[in-house]
Amino acid sequence: MSVTISNLIHVLTKLPGIGEKTATRLAFFILRQPPQYAEALAKALVDVKEKVTFCSVCLDLTERDPCEICSDTRRDASLICVVEEPSDVLAVEKTKQFRGRYHILHGAISPLDGIGPDDIKIAELLKRIGSSDIKEVIVATNASVEGETTALYLAKILKPKGIKLSRIASGVPIGSNLEYIDASTLSRAFEARRQL
Amino acid sequence: MSVTISNLIHVLTKLPGIGEKTATRLAFFILRQPPQYAEALAKALVDVKEKVTFCSVCLDLTERDPCEICSDTRRDASLICVVEEPSDVLAVEKTKQFRGRYHILHGAISPLDGIGPDDIKIAELLKRIGSSDIKEVIVATNASVEGETTALYLAKILKPKGIKLSRIASGVPIGSNLEYIDASTLSRAFEARRQL
């Protein structure tokens, strides 16, 4: 096979969830497209690495600093939603429910992987809380072991500071059948039951 | 969200099997990598479109004309394996069984999609057979309706020319359990049974 094709396949296999078969399929798809497609993708890749940096306030990915959300004065600056990754901001924004600002930890505490509180952006969060008027922090880390550990750690260090702290609810996802829900989610849903 | 990130996600969703969620995951993965990765992928994309053309003999994708296989004198030039797509050549080469050359049709006859014999590279195959000493043609189009239709059409036009023509076998894939095999594959396997 052509060296340039096998090189493209090789680079594509580095992407998450893309094995050799999928990479080969993608490479041949790109070869069948008009050259504009490969050029547009190449330009988008270069652009994204050249133009996108981190917001100095919330640490989200952005093209301008502070980011759009941090510089939007209509949003409540005293309310912070703490998430693990920039992609989580997208997920929360889609709900159109949250009108405060964010803080991105860029990870979660995971002792098994050797990731402690100092390896994620917790110091930056504490500094932000110390220097501006933050009234409430909503912890929206994942409902995984790592996300829960991180939430517990944040509770331990933020509660003594007298900040209102909350954790997003866990439970049965809307639209699901109970028979397909795992036992830990279901027991959490029972614990957190609400009076009707 | 940043315009350049949403642009990258948009371009990625054009790839086959990549929806918005996967594209978002890939884009954020790329953003987490050192810039060299995005640059390497961008370069591989541009290279592949600039350097790769079609072999004038077999119509495979190649960087040099004739392609490596067509210019390899150790391979039998009188034996041609006809396949639908360049990716099929890779699949056959992996078997290390076939030591002839290829002809890529770039498609298959599909009346439902309005693709007739003139829309794929059959004329080029006939010209090649007419101008050089071809002794045998192995039809390795897919075992789909379109691939079978194409094989039947090739048989109709090549048999009168007195060329030895064969079709790769259909049957139960090695390693499969009969209970998971569809009925048409299994009935084909019975029809094509061999004496032990």
Side-chain angles (χ1 to χ4, degrees):
Chain A
M1 183 178 34
S2 141
V3 180
T4 46
I5 303 178
S6 53
N7 178 49
L8 176 60
I9 294 172
H10 174 73
V11 180
L12 287 170
T13 53
K14 303 270 169 85
L15 293 169
I18 309 274
E20 209 188 315
K21 276 204 174 177
T22 310
T24 306
R25 198 162 49 86
L26 294 178
F28 281 110
F29 172 86
I30 290 163
L31 279 159
R32 278 198 306 274
Q33 302 306 302
Q36 288 85 331
Y37 179 74
E39 283 159 21
L41 184 50
K43 192 175 171 303
L45 286 161
V46 171
D47 270 6
V48 101
K49 283 308 252 192
E50 274 177 3
K51 294 186 187 165
V52 177
T53 53
F54 295 109
C55 171
S56 57
V57 181
C58 72
L59 306 174
D60 195 4
L61 294 164
T62 180
E63 270 160 80
R64 65 172 197 194
D65 187 18
C67 74
E68 281 171 63
I69 292 174
C70 286
S71 47
D72 185 344
T73 52
R74 292 164 305 175
R75 299 186 69 128
D76 186 351
S78 71
L79 173 62
I80 294 185
C81 173
V82 177
V83 295
E84 293 181 22
E85 298 292 344
S87 46
D88 300 328
V89 173
L90 288 189
V92 178
E93 284 296 288
K94 270 194 188 153
T95 67
K96 296 197 170 88
Q97 285 278 321
F98 179 71
R99 297 302 295 161
R101 295 186 179 169
Y102 293 91
H103 184 85
I104 290 91
L105 295 174
H106 290 277
I109 298 172
S110 175
L112 280 176
D113 301 311
I115 300 170
D118 297 341
D119 300 312
I120 62 175
K121 309 295 181 188
I122 290 180
E124 288 81 353
L125 175 64
L126 293 177
K127 203 177 145 198
R128 195 172 161 193
I129 289 171
S131 63
S132 57
D133 188 25
I134 308 295
K135 294 204 180 78
E136 185 176 352
V137 171
I138 301 174
V139 182
T141 50
N142 290 333
S144 60
V145 174
E146 295 79 16
E148 294 288 314
T149 307
T150 308
L152 290 173
Y153 181 83
L154 289 176
K156 201 180 76 182
I157 57 166
L158 293 180
K159 275 214 172 149
K161 294 184 189 287
I163 291 164
K164 197 176 155 192
L165 195 74
S166 58
R167 174 88 174 106
I168 55 166
S170 296
V172 180
I174 304 297
S176 332
N177 286 315
L178 287 203
E179 60 176 321
Y180 300 126
I181 301 296
D182 62 294
S184 55
T185 299
L186 203 53
S187 64
R188 183 72 76 93
F190 271 89
E191 279 168 38
R193 67 192 178 276
R194 296 193 309 172
Q195 186 105 35
L196 285 177
Chain B
M1 185 176 34
S2 143
V3 180
T4 44
I5 302 179
S6 53
N7 177 49
L8 176 60
I9 293 172
H10 174 74
V11 180
L12 287 170
T13 54
K14 303 270 168 82
L15 293 170
I18 309 276
E20 209 189 313
K21 276 205 173 177
T22 310
T24 306
R25 197 162 48 86
L26 294 178
F28 282 109
F29 172 86
I30 291 163
L31 279 158
R32 278 198 306 274
Q33 302 307 302
Q36 289 82 331
Y37 179 74
E39 283 159 22
L41 184 49
K43 192 173 171 304
L45 285 160
V46 171
D47 270 5
V48 99
K49 284 308 254 192
E50 273 176 4
K51 294 187 186 163
V52 176
T53 53
F54 295 109
C55 171
S56 58
V57 181
C58 71
L59 305 173
D60 195 4
L61 294 164
T62 181
E63 271 160 78
R64 65 172 198 195
D65 187 18
C67 74
E68 281 169 63
I69 293 174
C70 287
S71 47
D72 184 344
T73 51
R74 291 163 306 174
R75 298 186 70 128
D76 186 351
S78 72
L79 173 61
I80 293 185
C81 172
V82 177
V83 296
E84 293 182 22
E85 299 292 344
S87 46
D88 300 329
V89 173
L90 288 190
V92 178
E93 284 296 291
K94 271 195 188 151
T95 68
K96 297 197 168 86
Q97 284 278 320
F98 179 71
R99 297 300 299 162
R101 295 188 180 169
Y102 293 91
H103 183 89
I104 290 93
L105 294 174
H106 290 276
I109 298 172
S110 175
L112 281 175
D113 301 312
I115 300 170
D118 296 342
D119 299 311
I120 60 175
K121 310 295 182 189
I122 289 180
E124 288 80 354
L125 175 64
L126 293 177
K127 203 178 147 200
R128 196 172 160 192
I129 289 171
S131 63
S132 56
D133 188 26
I134 308 295
K135 294 202 178 80
E136 185 176 353
V137 171
I138 301 175
V139 183
T141 51
N142 291 334
S144 59
V145 174
E146 295 78 15
E148 293 289 314
T149 308
T150 308
L152 288 173
Y153 181 84
L154 289 176
K156 201 180 76 182
I157 57 167
L158 292 181
K159 275 216 171 148
K161 293 184 190 288
I163 291 164
K164 198 176 156 193
L165 196 74
S166 57
R167 175 87 175 106
I168 55 165
S170 296
V172 180
I174 303 301
S176 331
N177 286 314
L178 286 202
E179 59 176 322
Y180 301 125
I181 300 297
D182 63 295
S184 56
T185 299
L186 203 52
S187 64
R188 183 72 75 92
F190 272 87
E191 279 169 38
R193 67 190 177 279
R194 297 192 307 174
Q195 187 104 38
L196 287 176

